[in-house]
Each structure stands twice: as C-alpha cells, then as structure tokens.
Amino acid sequence: MPVLLTDVIDLFGYLLRAVGFLVIGLALGRFLLDSYKKAIWQLQIALALGFFGLLIALTDFASAGSAGAFALGAGISMLMPNKPKEEETEAQS
C-alpha cells in the first residue's frame, strides 16, 4: 500500500498543530506567571480563570493530542525557573 501525499500532509499537520499548542501553552503559562505577581487580586482571579477555562475548553473541543501539548507547554512554563530581568546598565564614558 503506497503512502499517499495526503497522508504525509495530514501527519505534518498533526505534528504542526501539536507543536503550536505546545508553544501557546508555554507562552500563556509564562504570561500568567509574569502577570500574576504584579496584579491586584481581582486581576489575579481573572487571569487564573481565563487560563484554566482555556485548558478546559481545549479538552472539550480539541483533540487529545492538542490539549495534551497545551498542558505540557503550560507545565514546562511552571517548572522553568524565573529568570530575573536584565537591567540595562548605563555606559560610563
């Protein structure tokens, strides 16, 4: 049975979707962690509900691989150490 071009394109699409959800999970997790510390309590509640609401919506409307990739990206962002922001030093003349 020969491998059809559509099968290869479908596989590439599934992998691309999984990588995309992984990156989005990583980015949203980092955004949540960075914004959560600086926000007032009302905004902290909104950030947490929005993040977990998106995760719950993904489990209902997306495939299991996509939701798993999003959760994996979010988990990686939670485990990454918080990098201190580099302060710009003034050039001395």
Side-chain angles (χ1 to χ4, degrees):
M1 186 161 134
V3 177
L4 299 174
L5 181 61
T6 56
D7 293 335
V8 173
I9 292 173
D10 284 344
L11 180 63
F12 182 68
Y14 293 138
L15 291 174
L16 190 63
R17 179 172 50 177
V19 169
F21 273 102
L22 180 76
V23 169
I24 289 192
L26 184 66
L28 285 178
R30 291 304 304 164
F31 174 73
L32 175 73
L33 287 176
D34 289 343
S35 300
Y36 192 82
K37 297 175 200 170
K38 304 172 193 168
I40 58 174
W41 68 271
Q42 293 95 341
L43 187 57
Q44 288 177 341
I45 291 172
L47 285 169
L49 287 177
F51 179 77
F52 290 114
L54 178 62
L55 183 59
I56 290 169
L58 280 176
T59 59
D60 193 31
F61 296 114
S63 67
S66 300
F70 178 83
L72 185 64
I76 290 170
S77 71
M78 301 290 175
L79 294 176
M80 284 176 48
N82 292 331
K83 298 178 184 176
K85 294 184 180 179
E86 296 178 11
E87 296 178 335
E88 295 179 356
T89 58
E90 295 181 16
Q92 296 177 358
S93 45

